Amino acid sequence: MEVKYLIEIDPSMILVRYNVKMEKQMTPEDAAEELYPKDELIYPIAKAIFEGEEDDVVEGLEKAISSGKDPISLIDDALMVGMGVVTRLYDEGIIFLPNVMMSADAMLEGIDHVKQKAGKAPTVKGKVVCHVAEGDVHDIGKNIVAALLRAAGYDVVDLGRDVPVDEVIATVEKENPMMLTGTALMTTTMYAFKEVNDKLMEKGYRIPFACGGGAVNQDFVSQYELGVYGEEAADAAKIADFIKANGDNVVKLREKFHRH
Ligand code: B12
């Protein structure tokens, strides 16, 4: 019996992993181009974030706002989308930290711009203290949280990044806020939240401590009494609104905002 093998396969068409091809043949700009959103108002903003071009970010935002886009919604719909491209290419080893820093600065400039455009909210609903965990310099998420809280009408005391635990406690004592927020992007810094919690408990403060940031998750935040986890920056304002309407009971807040 004659055996025939199918050997008419072109070997150059197999064994090409997409990401290997991408690393070898694509420039970072090409790779980013594939990831930008196609919307003609959002595309230039995302691209300007990737390129770290602050003036182009502002110009793109201006165009989008004058075409009727809501300034605050552009944080999530354009600035975050651009930063998402940067984060993905950084994770894939296609771009490096200096690029990320330039993009982060351009994003912060963009956030400042849309905040100015949105104007001040007419009534102050309450005071919230925001901070980034001790030892942690990643403040982009915290800046979005603070911007959205302000846009929602809260008076925000922004302590910035790498904030010592004792400074957080002293500020809560001085400002008497309705809520504290914490952001941690590193698995080494997130433990500061537990220290903040324990010191607040020791001093008799029972304010909700909303926590988020890439390093933390619901399981971790549930380990300390005052912790309420939020995945998205917009959750901070939702948690504050819920406290205003229903009180500051942490159990109730977890029932409402944690996944069950
Ligand atoms: C940008 C960036 C930087 C920038 C930070 C610029 C800045 N001003 O923030 C720079 C270049 C300075 C930097 C430095 C470092 N970085 Co860095 N960095 C990143 C990167 C690429 C993106 C982080 C980011 O901004 N994400 C976007 C923001 C918007 O996300 P976010 O903060 O999580 O916020 C969102 C939500 O979590 C939520 N949220 C945030 N806070 C809160 C709070 C509340 C209450 C709620 C409800 C929601 C909420 O809202 C936001 C959106 O909706 C990540 C990689 C990654 N994939 O995440 C690494 C990363 C975080 N960095 C990392 C490291 C290791 C470092 C360095 C130590 C590097 C080095 N060797 O020097 C230093 C840190 C120095 C220090 N002591 O902090 C690691 C951390 C690893 C770990 N698990 O511990 C990461 C994960 C990279 C990696 N894969 O290794 N970094």
Side-chain angles (χ1 to χ4, degrees):
M1 193 176 73
E2 195 186 340
V3 181
K4 274 196 169 176
Y5 292 100
L6 272 175
I7 49 165
E8 288 150 16
I9 296 170
D10 175 1
S12 72
M13 298 303 287
I14 55 172
L15 299 172
V16 179
R17 259 179 40 227
Y18 170 72
N19 57 346
V20 170
K21 196 175 169 189
M22 187 155 119
E23 280 158 28
K24 289 214 170 121
Q25 295 177 357
M26 280 185 164
T27 63
E29 287 71 25
D30 291 341
E33 201 63 45
E34 300 227 322
L35 298 171
Y36 295 138
K38 305 293 168 238
D39 183 299
E40 59 173 19
L41 289 173
I42 305 297
Y43 169 86
I45 303 172
K47 187 166 189 234
I49 291 279
F50 176 79
E51 290 169 348
E53 293 290 350
E54 298 181 3
D55 293 348
D56 294 350
V57 170
V58 170
E59 193 182 307
L61 289 170
E62 277 295 317
K63 268 198 191 131
I65 293 166
S66 54
S67 305
K69 297 258 184 205
D70 167 51
I72 291 296
S73 73
L74 286 170
I75 295 180
D76 269 348
D77 298 347
L79 298 173
M80 285 293 296
V81 173
M83 200 62 207
V85 172
V86 174
T87 301
R88 176 150 166 210
L89 296 185
Y90 174 76
D91 282 345
E92 288 174 9
I94 293 170
I95 58 170
F96 302 100
L97 276 182
N99 310 80
V100 177
M101 282 169 79
M102 281 173 61
S103 296
D105 286 346
M107 160 133 176
L108 294 181
E109 181 77 23
I111 290 180
D112 271 354
H113 189 76
V114 292
K115 263 176 10 192
Q116 276 169 25
K117 288 283 155 186
K120 269 208 174 286
T123 50
V124 173
K125 292 192 202 157
K127 192 178 275 185
V128 179
V129 172
C130 297
H131 84 288
V132 178
E134 184 164 354
D136 202 323
V137 303
H138 297 91
D139 62 359
I140 300 173
K142 184 270 298 164
N143 290 336
I144 301 171
V145 166
L148 294 182
L149 279 166
R150 284 192 178 115
Y154 291 91
D155 175 13
V156 173
V157 179
D158 184 348
L159 293 179
R161 56 196 189 177
D162 182 13
V163 187
V165 169
D166 288 337
E167 189 183 331
V168 178
I169 308 300
T171 308
V172 168
E173 286 181 302
K174 180 170 165 247
E175 303 285 351
N176 198 19
M178 60 180 288
M179 177 173 100
L180 170 67
T181 80
T183 298
L185 271 282
M186 298 201 296
T187 40
T188 45
T189 57
M190 63 185 194
Y191 296 98
F193 291 163
K194 170 97 173 69
E195 277 182 59
V196 166
N197 176 89
D198 293 354
K199 290 198 173 175
L200 288 176
M201 292 293 287
E202 224 176 85
K203 288 180 180 267
Y205 287 97
R206 295 288 179 272
I207 51 162
F209 181 16
C211 297
V216 300
N217 57 32
Q218 185 177 304
D219 284 347
F220 175 73
V221 175
S222 306
Q223 286 169 24
Y224 40 89
E225 293 85 345
L226 305 173
V228 181
Y229 176 67
E231 193 171 343
E232 296 293 326
D235 291 337
K238 288 182 192 158
I239 296 170
D241 283 346
F242 188 87
I243 296 170
K244 256 194 93 58
N246 305 288
D248 61 4
N249 185 302
V250 172
V251 177
K252 276 195 192 157
L253 282 162
R254 286 182 181 176
E255 265 166 27
K256 172 80 182 161
F257 291 98
H258 284 196
R259 285 210 193 96
H260 302 284

